[in-house]
Amino acid sequence: MSRFLKVIVNVVLICALLSAAALLVPSLVGVEMDIIENDRVETNLPVGSVVYGKVKNLQDIKFGDEVFVSEADGSKYLYRVNAVDAENSTVVLKDAKNDAADTVEKEASSLCVAMITVPLLGYLAAAAGSVKGWI
């Protein structure tokens, strides 16, 4: 029984260390990270998701790329690129999670191209931001 408990404790410890590294290391190596911490934010991503991405100029973005856009009103959406017009600094986007959604045209000189979205990892960041979470 003692050996079984040691294995469980080690697995939990390794998961905690990997999760903490996933939240801390990306910002040190220049990867943009955005956390969907609560349901008060308008988004097409589930609560607790963490989006990792790299900011690229409009010339480097191509058809089919998934881009993460944070609006001025606080809303955060994951879009798929339908067309890019680098000369006019516009891009045509479609909701990456809803194929029935209409396309949206945005003006931008650069966008955050999403590399990976990790569900549930944001709950750890939200817990670490409170006293109850640390306890």
Coordinates of all heavy atoms in Angstrom, one line a residue, residues 11-111:
V11 N 3.0 11.0 -9.2 CA 2.3 11.3 -10.4 C 1.6 12.7 -10.3 O 1.7 13.5 -11.2 CB 1.2 10.2 -10.8 CG1 0.3 10.7 -11.8 CG2 1.9 9.0 -11.2
V12 N 1.0 12.9 -9.1 CA 0.4 14.2 -8.9 C 1.4 15.3 -8.8 O 1.2 16.4 -9.4 CB -0.4 14.2 -7.5 CG1 -0.8 15.6 -7.1 CG2 -1.6 13.3 -7.6
L13 N 2.6 15.1 -8.2 CA 3.7 16.1 -8.2 C 4.2 16.4 -9.6 O 4.4 17.5 -10.0 CB 4.8 15.6 -7.3 CG 6.0 16.5 -7.1 CD1 5.5 17.8 -6.4 CD2 7.0 15.9 -6.3
I14 N 4.4 15.4 -10.4 CA 4.9 15.6 -11.8 C 3.8 16.3 -12.6 O 4.2 17.3 -13.3 CB 5.2 14.2 -12.5 CG1 6.5 13.6 -11.8 CG2 5.4 14.4 -14.0 CD1 6.8 12.2 -12.2
C15 N 2.6 16.0 -12.5 CA 1.5 16.8 -13.2 C 1.5 18.2 -12.7 O 1.3 19.1 -13.6 CB 0.1 16.1 -12.9 SG -0.1 14.6 -13.8
A16 N 1.6 18.5 -11.4 CA 1.7 19.9 -10.9 C 2.8 20.6 -11.5 O 2.7 21.8 -11.9 CB 1.7 19.9 -9.4
L17 N 4.0 20.0 -11.5 CA 5.2 20.7 -12.1 C 5.1 20.9 -13.6 O 5.5 22.0 -14.0 CB 6.5 19.8 -11.8 CG 6.9 19.8 -10.3 CD1 8.0 18.8 -10.1 CD2 7.3 21.2 -9.8
L18 N 4.6 20.0 -14.3 CA 4.4 20.2 -15.7 C 3.4 21.3 -16.0 O 3.5 22.1 -16.9 CB 3.9 18.9 -16.4 CG 5.0 17.8 -16.5 CD1 4.4 16.5 -17.1 CD2 6.2 18.3 -17.4
S19 N 2.3 21.3 -15.2 CA 1.3 22.4 -15.4 C 1.8 23.8 -15.1 O 1.6 24.7 -15.8 CB 0.1 22.1 -14.5 OG -0.5 20.9 -14.9
A20 N 2.6 23.8 -14.0 CA 3.2 25.1 -13.7 C 4.2 25.6 -14.7 O 4.3 26.7 -15.1 CB 3.9 25.0 -12.3
A21 N 5.0 24.6 -15.3 CA 5.9 25.0 -16.3 C 5.2 25.4 -17.6 O 5.6 26.3 -18.3 CB 6.8 23.8 -16.6
A22 N 4.0 24.8 -17.9 CA 3.2 25.2 -19.0 C 2.7 26.6 -18.9 O 2.4 27.3 -19.9 CB 2.1 24.2 -19.3
L23 N 2.5 27.1 -17.7 CA 2.0 28.4 -17.5 C 3.1 29.5 -17.4 O 2.9 30.6 -17.6 CB 1.1 28.5 -16.2 CG -0.2 27.7 -16.3 CD1 -0.9 27.6 -15.0 CD2 -1.1 28.4 -17.3
L24 N 4.3 29.1 -17.0 CA 5.4 30.0 -16.7 C 6.4 30.1 -17.9 O 6.8 31.2 -18.3 CB 6.1 29.6 -15.5 CG 5.3 29.7 -14.2 CD1 6.1 29.2 -13.0 CD2 4.9 31.1 -13.9
V25 N 6.8 29.0 -18.5 CA 7.9 29.0 -19.4 C 7.5 29.7 -20.8 O 8.4 30.4 -21.3 CB 8.3 27.5 -19.7 CG1 9.3 27.4 -20.8 CG2 8.9 26.9 -18.4
P26 N 6.3 29.5 -21.3 CA 6.1 30.2 -22.6 C 6.3 31.7 -22.6 O 6.8 32.2 -23.6 CB 4.6 29.9 -22.9 CG 4.3 28.6 -22.1 CD 5.2 28.7 -20.9
S27 N 6.0 32.4 -21.6 CA 6.2 33.8 -21.6 C 7.7 34.2 -21.6 O 8.1 35.2 -22.0 CB 5.5 34.5 -20.4 OG 6.0 33.9 -19.2
L28 N 8.5 33.3 -21.1 CA 10.0 33.5 -21.0 C 10.6 33.3 -22.4 O 11.7 33.8 -22.7 CB 10.6 32.6 -20.0 CG 10.2 32.7 -18.5 CD1 10.8 31.7 -17.7 CD2 10.5 34.1 -18.0
V29 N 10.0 32.5 -23.3 CA 10.6 32.2 -24.6 C 9.9 33.0 -25.7 O 10.1 32.7 -26.9 CB 10.6 30.7 -24.9 CG1 11.5 30.0 -23.9 CG2 9.2 30.1 -24.9
G30 N 9.0 33.9 -25.3 CA 8.4 34.8 -26.3 C 7.1 34.3 -27.0 O 6.7 34.8 -28.0
V31 N 6.5 33.3 -26.3 CA 5.2 32.8 -26.8 C 4.1 33.5 -26.1 O 4.1 33.6 -24.9 CB 5.1 31.3 -26.6 CG1 3.8 30.7 -26.9 CG2 6.2 30.5 -27.4
E32 N 3.1 34.0 -26.9 CA 2.0 34.7 -26.3 C 1.1 33.7 -25.6 O 0.9 32.6 -26.2 CB 1.2 35.5 -27.3 CG 2.0 36.6 -27.9 CD 2.2 37.8 -27.0 OE1 1.3 38.1 -26.2 OE2 3.3 38.3 -27.0
M33 N 0.5 34.0 -24.5 CA -0.4 33.1 -23.8 C -1.6 33.9 -23.3 O -1.5 35.0 -22.8 CB 0.3 32.4 -22.6 CG -0.5 31.5 -21.9 SD 0.4 30.7 -20.5 CE 0.6 32.1 -19.4
D34 N -2.8 33.3 -23.5 CA -4.0 34.0 -23.0 C -4.9 32.9 -22.4 O -5.0 31.8 -22.9 CB -4.8 34.6 -24.2 CG -5.6 35.8 -23.7 OD1 -5.9 35.8 -22.5 OD2 -5.8 36.7 -24.4
I35 N -5.4 33.2 -21.2 CA -6.2 32.3 -20.4 C -7.6 32.8 -20.4 O -7.9 33.9 -20.1 CB -5.6 32.2 -19.0 CG1 -4.1 31.8 -19.0 CG2 -6.4 31.3 -18.1 CD1 -3.4 32.0 -17.7
I36 N -8.5 31.8 -20.6 CA -10.0 32.1 -20.5 C -10.3 31.7 -19.1 O -10.6 30.5 -18.8 CB -10.8 31.3 -21.5 CG1 -10.2 31.5 -23.0 CG2 -12.2 31.7 -21.4 CD1 -10.2 32.9 -23.5
E37 N -10.3 32.6 -18.2 CA -10.5 32.3 -16.7 C -11.9 32.3 -16.2 O -12.2 31.6 -15.3 CB -9.7 33.3 -15.9 CG -8.2 33.2 -16.0 CD -7.5 34.1 -15.1 OE1 -8.1 34.6 -14.1 OE2 -6.3 34.4 -15.4
N38 N -12.8 33.0 -16.9 CA -14.2 33.0 -16.4 C -15.2 33.1 -17.5 O -14.8 33.4 -18.7 CB -14.4 34.2 -15.4 CG -14.1 35.5 -16.0 OD1 -14.6 35.8 -17.1 ND2 -13.3 36.3 -15.4
D39 N -16.4 32.9 -17.2 CA -17.5 32.9 -18.3 C -18.1 34.3 -18.5 O -19.0 34.4 -19.3 CB -18.6 31.9 -17.9 CG -19.2 32.1 -16.6 OD1 -18.8 33.1 -15.9 OD2 -20.1 31.4 -16.2
R40 N -17.6 35.3 -17.9 CA -18.1 36.7 -18.1 C -17.5 37.3 -19.4 O -17.9 38.3 -19.9 CB -17.7 37.6 -16.9 CG -18.5 37.2 -15.7 CD -18.2 38.2 -14.6 NE -16.9 38.2 -14.2 CZ -16.4 37.5 -13.1 NH1 -17.2 36.7 -12.4 NH2 -15.1 37.5 -12.8
V41 N -16.5 36.6 -19.9 CA -15.8 37.1 -21.2 C -16.5 36.4 -22.4 O -16.8 35.2 -22.4 CB -14.3 36.7 -21.2 CG1 -13.7 37.0 -22.5 CG2 -13.6 37.3 -20.0
E42 N -16.9 37.3 -23.4 CA -17.4 36.7 -24.6 C -16.4 36.0 -25.4 O -15.3 36.6 -25.7 CB -18.0 37.8 -25.4 CG -19.4 38.2 -25.1 CD -20.1 39.1 -26.1 OE1 -20.0 38.7 -27.3 OE2 -20.6 40.1 -25.8
T43 N -16.6 34.7 -25.6 CA -15.5 33.9 -26.3 C -16.2 32.7 -27.0 O -17.3 32.3 -26.7 CB -14.4 33.5 -25.3 OG1 -13.4 32.8 -26.1 CG2 -15.0 32.6 -24.2
N44 N -15.4 32.1 -27.9 CA -15.9 30.8 -28.5 C -15.1 29.7 -27.9 O -15.1 28.6 -28.5 CB -15.8 30.9 -30.0 CG -14.5 31.1 -30.5 OD1 -13.5 31.4 -29.8 ND2 -14.3 31.0 -31.8
L45 N -14.3 29.9 -26.9 CA -13.5 28.9 -26.3 C -14.1 28.5 -24.9 O -14.6 29.4 -24.2 CB -12.0 29.4 -26.1 CG -11.3 29.7 -27.4 CD1 -10.0 30.4 -27.1 CD2 -10.9 28.4 -28.1
P46 N -13.9 27.3 -24.5 CA -14.4 26.9 -23.2 C -13.6 27.5 -22.0 O -12.4 27.8 -22.2 CB -14.3 25.4 -23.1 CG -13.3 25.1 -24.2 CD -13.3 26.2 -25.2
V47 N -14.3 27.8 -20.9 CA -13.7 28.3 -19.7 C -12.6 27.4 -19.3 O -12.7 26.2 -19.3 CB -14.7 28.5 -18.6 CG1 -14.0 29.0 -17.3 CG2 -15.7 29.5 -19.0
G48 N -11.4 27.9 -18.9 CA -10.3 27.1 -18.5 C -9.3 26.8 -19.6 O -8.3 26.2 -19.3
S49 N -9.6 27.3 -20.8 CA -8.7 27.0 -21.9 C -7.5 28.0 -21.8 O -7.6 29.1 -21.4 CB -9.4 27.2 -23.2 OG -10.4 26.3 -23.4
V50 N -6.4 27.5 -22.3 CA -5.2 28.4 -22.5 C -4.8 28.3 -23.9 O -4.6 27.2 -24.5 CB -4.0 27.9 -21.6 CG1 -2.8 28.7 -21.8 CG2 -4.4 27.9 -20.1
V51 N -4.6 29.5 -24.5 CA -4.2 29.5 -26.0 C -2.8 30.0 -26.0 O -2.4 31.1 -25.5 CB -5.1 30.5 -26.7 CG1 -4.7 30.6 -28.2 CG2 -6.6 30.1 -26.6
Y52 N -1.9 29.3 -26.7 CA -0.6 29.7 -26.9 C -0.4 30.1 -28.4 O -1.0 29.4 -29.3 CB 0.4 28.5 -26.7 CG 0.4 28.0 -25.2 CD1 -0.3 26.9 -24.8 CD2 1.1 28.7 -24.3 CE1 -0.4 26.5 -23.5 CE2 1.1 28.3 -23.0 CZ 0.4 27.2 -22.6 OH 0.4 26.7 -21.3
G53 N 0.3 31.2 -28.6 CA 0.4 31.6 -30.0 C 1.6 32.5 -30.2 O 2.3 32.9 -29.3
K54 N 1.9 32.8 -31.5 CA 3.0 33.6 -31.8 C 2.5 34.8 -32.7 O 1.8 34.6 -33.6 CB 4.0 32.8 -32.6 CG 5.4 33.4 -32.8 CD 6.2 33.1 -31.5 CE 7.6 33.4 -31.8 NZ 8.4 33.5 -30.6
V55 N 2.9 36.0 -32.3 CA 2.5 37.2 -33.1 C 3.2 37.2 -34.4 O 4.5 37.1 -34.4 CB 2.7 38.5 -32.3 CG1 2.3 39.7 -33.1 CG2 1.9 38.5 -31.0
K56 N 2.5 37.3 -35.5 CA 3.1 37.4 -36.8 C 2.6 38.6 -37.6 O 1.4 39.0 -37.4 CB 2.8 36.1 -37.6 CG 3.5 34.9 -37.1 CD 3.2 33.7 -38.0 CE 3.9 32.5 -37.5 NZ 3.7 31.3 -38.4
N57 N 3.4 39.1 -38.5 CA 3.0 40.2 -39.4 C 1.9 39.6 -40.3 O 1.9 38.5 -40.6 CB 4.1 40.8 -40.2 CG 5.1 41.5 -39.3 OD1 4.7 42.1 -38.3 ND2 6.4 41.5 -39.6
L58 N 1.1 40.5 -40.9 CA 0.1 40.1 -41.8 C 0.6 39.4 -43.0 O 0.0 38.5 -43.6 CB -0.8 41.3 -42.2 CG -2.3 41.1 -42.4 CD1 -2.9 40.4 -41.2 CD2 -3.0 42.4 -42.7
Q59 N 1.8 39.8 -43.5 CA 2.4 39.2 -44.7 C 2.8 37.7 -44.4 O 2.8 36.9 -45.4 CB 3.7 39.9 -45.1 CG 3.5 41.3 -45.6 CD 3.5 42.3 -44.4 OE1 3.6 42.0 -43.2 NE2 3.3 43.6 -44.8
D60 N 3.0 37.3 -43.1 CA 3.4 35.9 -42.8 C 2.2 35.0 -42.5 O 2.3 33.8 -42.3 CB 4.3 36.0 -41.6 CG 5.6 36.7 -41.9 OD1 6.0 36.7 -43.1 OD2 6.2 37.3 -40.9
I61 N 1.0 35.6 -42.5 CA -0.2 34.8 -42.2 C -0.8 34.3 -43.5 O -0.9 35.1 -44.5 CB -1.2 35.7 -41.4 CG1 -0.6 36.1 -40.0 CG2 -2.6 35.0 -41.2 CD1 -1.4 37.1 -39.2
K62 N -1.3 33.1 -43.5 CA -1.8 32.5 -44.7 C -3.2 31.9 -44.5 O -3.6 31.8 -43.3 CB -0.8 31.5 -45.3 CG -0.5 30.3 -44.3 CD 0.6 29.5 -44.9 CE 1.0 28.4 -43.9 NZ 1.7 28.8 -42.7
F63 N -3.8 31.6 -45.6 CA -5.2 31.0 -45.5 C -5.2 29.7 -44.7 O -4.3 28.9 -44.8 CB -5.6 30.6 -47.0 CG -6.9 29.9 -47.0 CD1 -8.1 30.6 -46.9 CD2 -6.9 28.5 -47.1 CE1 -9.3 29.9 -47.0 CE2 -8.1 27.8 -47.2 CZ -9.3 28.5 -47.1
G64 N -6.1 29.6 -43.8 CA -6.3 28.4 -42.9 C -5.6 28.5 -41.6 O -5.9 27.7 -40.7
D65 N -4.8 29.5 -41.3 CA -4.2 29.7 -40.0 C -5.3 30.0 -39.0 O -6.3 30.7 -39.3 CB -3.2 30.9 -40.0 CG -1.9 30.5 -40.6 OD1 -1.6 29.3 -40.8 OD2 -1.1 31.4 -40.9
E66 N -5.1 29.6 -37.8 CA -6.0 29.9 -36.7 C -5.4 31.1 -35.9 O -4.2 31.0 -35.5 CB -6.3 28.8 -35.8 CG -7.2 27.7 -36.4 CD -7.7 26.7 -35.4 OE1 -7.2 26.6 -34.3 OE2 -8.6 25.9 -35.8
V67 N -6.1 32.2 -35.8 CA -5.6 33.3 -35.1 C -6.5 33.6 -33.9 O -7.7 33.4 -33.9 CB -5.5 34.6 -36.0 CG1 -4.5 34.3 -37.1 CG2 -6.9 34.9 -36.6
F68 N -5.8 34.1 -32.8 CA -6.5 34.5 -31.6 C -6.6 36.0 -31.5 O -5.6 36.7 -31.6 CB -5.8 33.9 -30.4 CG -6.5 34.1 -29.1 CD1 -7.6 33.3 -28.8 CD2 -6.1 35.1 -28.2 CE1 -8.3 33.5 -27.6 CE2 -6.7 35.2 -27.0 CZ -7.8 34.5 -26.7
V69 N -7.8 36.5 -31.4 CA -8.1 37.9 -31.4 C -8.7 38.4 -30.1 O -9.7 37.8 -29.7 CB -9.0 38.3 -32.6 CG1 -9.3 39.8 -32.5 CG2 -8.4 37.9 -33.9
S70 N -8.1 39.3 -29.4 CA -8.6 39.9 -28.2 C -9.1 41.3 -28.6 O -8.4 42.1 -29.0 CB -7.6 40.1 -27.1 OG -7.1 38.8 -26.6
E71 N -10.4 41.5 -28.4 CA -11.1 42.8 -28.8 C -10.9 43.8 -27.7 O -10.6 43.5 -26.5 CB -12.5 42.6 -29.1 CG -12.8 41.6 -30.2 CD -12.5 42.1 -31.5 OE1 -12.3 43.3 -31.7 OE2 -12.4 41.3 -32.5
A72 N -11.2 45.1 -28.0 CA -11.1 46.2 -27.0 C -12.1 46.0 -25.9 O -11.9 46.4 -24.7 CB -11.2 47.5 -27.7
D73 N -13.3 45.4 -26.2 CA -14.3 45.2 -25.2 C -14.1 44.0 -24.3 O -14.9 43.7 -23.4 CB -15.7 45.1 -25.8 CG -15.8 43.8 -26.7 OD1 -14.8 43.1 -26.9 OD2 -16.9 43.6 -27.2
G74 N -12.9 43.3 -24.4 CA -12.6 42.2 -23.6 C -12.9 40.8 -24.1 O -12.6 39.8 -23.6
S75 N -13.7 40.8 -25.3 CA -14.0 39.5 -25.9 C -12.8 38.9 -26.5 O -11.9 39.6 -27.0 CB -15.1 39.7 -26.9 OG -14.8 40.5 -27.9
K76 N -12.8 37.6 -26.5 CA -11.6 36.8 -27.1 C -12.1 35.7 -27.9 O -13.0 34.9 -27.5 CB -10.8 36.2 -25.9 CG -10.3 37.3 -24.9 CD -9.6 36.6 -23.7 CE -9.1 37.7 -22.8 NZ -8.4 37.2 -21.7
Y77 N -11.7 35.7 -29.2 CA -12.2 34.7 -30.1 C -11.0 34.0 -30.9 O -10.0 34.6 -31.2 CB -13.1 35.3 -31.2 CG -14.4 35.7 -30.6 CD1 -14.7 37.0 -30.1 CD2 -15.4 34.7 -30.5 CE1 -15.9 37.3 -29.6 CE2 -16.7 35.1 -29.9 CZ -16.9 36.3 -29.5 OH -18.1 36.7 -29.0
L78 N -11.2 32.8 -31.2 CA -10.4 32.0 -32.1 C -11.0 32.0 -33.5 O -12.1 31.5 -33.6 CB -10.2 30.6 -31.5 CG -9.1 29.7 -32.2 CD1 -7.7 30.4 -32.0 CD2 -9.1 28.3 -31.6
Y79 N -10.3 32.5 -34.5 CA -10.8 32.6 -35.8 C -9.9 31.8 -36.8 O -8.7 31.5 -36.5 CB -10.8 34.0 -36.3 CG -11.8 35.0 -35.7 CD1 -11.4 36.0 -34.8 CD2 -13.2 34.9 -36.0 CE1 -12.3 36.8 -34.2 CE2 -14.1 35.7 -35.4 CZ -13.6 36.7 -34.6 OH -14.5 37.5 -34.0
R80 N -10.5 31.4 -37.9 CA -9.7 30.8 -39.0 C -9.6 31.8 -40.1 O -10.6 32.5 -40.5 CB -10.4 29.5 -39.5 CG -9.6 28.8 -40.5 CD -10.1 27.4 -40.8 NE -9.8 26.5 -39.6 CZ -10.8 26.0 -38.8 NH1 -12.0 26.2 -39.1 NH2 -10.5 25.3 -37.8
V81 N -8.4 32.0 -40.7 CA -8.2 33.0 -41.8 C -8.8 32.5 -43.1 O -8.5 31.4 -43.5 CB -6.7 33.3 -41.9 CG1 -6.4 34.2 -43.1 CG2 -6.1 33.8 -40.6
N82 N -9.7 33.3 -43.7 CA -10.2 33.0 -45.0 C -9.5 33.7 -46.1 O -9.4 33.2 -47.2 CB -11.7 33.3 -45.1 CG -12.6 32.2 -44.5 OD1 -12.1 31.2 -44.0 ND2 -13.9 32.4 -44.5
A83 N -9.0 35.0 -45.9 CA -8.3 35.7 -46.9 C -7.5 36.8 -46.2 O -7.9 37.3 -45.1 CB -9.3 36.4 -47.8
V84 N -6.4 37.1 -46.8 CA -5.5 38.2 -46.3 C -5.2 39.2 -47.4 O -4.8 38.8 -48.5 CB -4.1 37.5 -45.8 CG1 -3.2 38.6 -45.3 CG2 -4.4 36.5 -44.7
D85 N -5.3 40.4 -47.1 CA -5.0 41.5 -48.0 C -3.9 42.4 -47.2 O -4.2 43.3 -46.5 CB -6.2 42.4 -48.3 CG -5.9 43.4 -49.4 OD1 -4.7 43.5 -49.8 OD2 -6.8 44.2 -49.7
A86 N -2.6 42.0 -47.4 CA -1.5 42.7 -46.7 C -1.4 44.1 -47.1 O -1.0 45.0 -46.4 CB -0.2 41.9 -46.9
E87 N -1.7 44.5 -48.4 CA -1.6 45.8 -48.9 C -2.5 46.8 -48.1 O -2.1 47.9 -47.8 CB -1.9 45.9 -50.4 CG -0.8 45.2 -51.2 CD -1.1 45.3 -52.7 OE1 -2.1 46.0 -53.1 OE2 -0.5 44.6 -53.5
N88 N -3.7 46.4 -47.9 CA -4.7 47.2 -47.2 C -4.8 46.9 -45.7 O -5.6 47.4 -45.0 CB -6.1 47.0 -47.8 CG -6.1 47.5 -49.2 OD1 -5.5 48.4 -49.6 ND2 -6.9 46.8 -50.1
S89 N -4.0 46.0 -45.2 CA -3.9 45.6 -43.8 C -5.3 45.1 -43.3 O -5.7 45.4 -42.2 CB -3.4 46.8 -42.9 OG -2.1 47.1 -43.2
T90 N -5.9 44.3 -44.1 CA -7.2 43.7 -43.7 C -7.1 42.1 -43.8 O -6.3 41.6 -44.6 CB -8.4 44.2 -44.5 OG1 -8.1 43.8 -45.9 CG2 -8.6 45.6 -44.4
V91 N -7.9 41.5 -43.0 CA -8.0 40.0 -43.0 C -9.4 39.6 -42.9 O -10.2 40.3 -42.1 CB -7.0 39.4 -41.9 CG1 -7.5 39.9 -40.6 CG2 -6.9 37.9 -42.1
V92 N -9.8 38.6 -43.6 CA -11.2 38.1 -43.5 C -11.1 36.8 -42.6 O -10.4 35.9 -42.9 CB -11.8 37.8 -44.9 CG1 -13.2 37.2 -44.7 CG2 -11.8 39.0 -45.7
L93 N -11.9 36.8 -41.5 CA -11.9 35.7 -40.6 C -13.2 35.0 -40.4 O -14.2 35.7 -40.6 CB -11.4 36.3 -39.2 CG -10.1 37.1 -39.1 CD1 -10.0 37.8 -37.8 CD2 -9.0 36.2 -39.4
K94 N -13.2 33.8 -40.0 CA -14.4 33.0 -39.7 C -14.2 32.3 -38.4 O -13.1 31.8 -38.1 CB -14.6 32.0 -40.9 CG -16.0 31.3 -40.7 CD -16.4 30.6 -42.0 CE -17.7 30.0 -41.7 NZ -18.5 29.9 -42.9
D95 N -15.2 32.2 -37.6 CA -15.2 31.6 -36.3 C -14.7 30.2 -36.5 O -15.2 29.4 -37.2 CB -16.6 31.6 -35.7 CG -16.6 31.1 -34.3 OD1 -15.7 30.4 -33.8 OD2 -17.6 31.5 -33.6
A96 N -13.6 29.8 -35.8 CA -13.0 28.5 -35.9 C -13.8 27.4 -35.2 O -13.6 26.2 -35.5 CB -11.6 28.6 -35.2
K97 N -14.7 27.8 -34.3 CA -15.5 26.8 -33.6 C -16.9 26.6 -34.1 O -17.6 25.7 -33.7 CB -15.6 27.2 -32.1 CG -14.2 27.3 -31.4 CD -13.5 25.9 -31.4 CE -12.2 26.0 -30.6 NZ -11.5 24.8 -30.6
N98 N -17.3 27.5 -35.0 CA -18.7 27.5 -35.6 C -18.6 27.7 -37.1 O -18.5 28.8 -37.5 CB -19.5 28.5 -34.9 CG -21.0 28.5 -35.3 OD1 -21.4 27.7 -36.1 ND2 -21.7 29.5 -34.9
D99 N -18.8 26.6 -37.9 CA -18.7 26.8 -39.3 C -19.9 27.5 -39.9 O -19.8 28.1 -41.0 CB -18.6 25.4 -39.9 CG -17.3 24.7 -39.7 OD1 -16.3 25.4 -39.5 OD2 -17.3 23.5 -39.7
A100 N -21.0 27.6 -39.2 CA -22.2 28.3 -39.7 C -22.1 29.9 -39.4 O -22.9 30.6 -39.9 CB -23.4 27.8 -39.0
A101 N -21.1 30.3 -38.7 CA -20.9 31.7 -38.4 C -20.6 32.5 -39.7 O -20.0 32.0 -40.6 CB -19.9 31.9 -37.4
D102 N -20.9 33.8 -39.7 CA -20.6 34.7 -40.8 C -19.1 35.1 -40.7 O -18.5 35.0 -39.6 CB -21.4 36.0 -40.7 CG -22.9 35.7 -40.9 OD1 -23.2 34.7 -41.6 OD2 -23.7 36.5 -40.4
T103 N -18.6 35.5 -41.8 CA -17.2 36.0 -41.8 C -17.1 37.4 -41.3 O -18.1 38.2 -41.3 CB -16.6 36.0 -43.3 OG1 -17.4 36.8 -44.1 CG2 -16.5 34.6 -43.8
V104 N -15.9 37.7 -40.8 CA -15.7 39.0 -40.1 C -14.4 39.6 -40.8 O -13.4 38.9 -41.0 CB -15.4 38.9 -38.6 CG1 -15.1 40.2 -38.0 CG2 -16.6 38.3 -38.0
E105 N -14.5 40.9 -41.1 CA -13.3 41.6 -41.7 C -12.7 42.4 -40.6 O -13.4 43.2 -40.0 CB -13.7 42.4 -42.9 CG -12.5 42.9 -43.6 CD -12.8 43.6 -45.0 OE1 -13.8 43.1 -45.6 OE2 -12.2 44.6 -45.3
K106 N -11.4 42.3 -40.4 CA -10.6 43.1 -39.4 C -9.5 43.8 -40.0 O -8.9 43.3 -41.0 CB -10.1 42.1 -38.3 CG -11.1 41.3 -37.6 CD -11.6 42.0 -36.4 CE -12.5 41.1 -35.6 NZ -13.3 41.9 -34.7
E107 N -9.2 44.9 -39.5 CA -8.0 45.7 -39.9 C -6.9 45.4 -38.8 O -7.1 45.5 -37.6 CB -8.2 47.2 -40.0 CG -9.0 47.6 -41.2 CD -9.1 49.1 -41.3 OE1 -8.2 49.8 -40.8 OE2 -10.1 49.5 -41.9
A108 N -5.7 45.0 -39.3 CA -4.6 44.7 -38.3 C -3.3 44.6 -39.1 O -3.3 44.3 -40.3 CB -4.9 43.3 -37.7
S109 N -2.3 45.0 -38.4 CA -0.9 44.9 -39.0 C -0.3 43.6 -38.6 O 0.6 43.1 -39.3 CB -0.1 46.0 -38.6 OG 0.1 46.1 -37.2
S110 N -0.7 43.0 -37.5 CA -0.2 41.7 -37.0 C -1.3 41.0 -36.2 O -2.2 41.6 -35.7 CB 1.0 41.9 -36.2 OG 0.7 42.6 -35.0
L111 N -1.2 39.7 -36.2 CA -2.2 38.9 -35.4 C -1.4 37.8 -34.7 O -0.3 37.4 -35.1 CB -3.2 38.3 -36.4 CG -4.2 39.2 -37.0 CD1 -5.0 38.5 -38.0 CD2 -5.2 39.8 -35.9

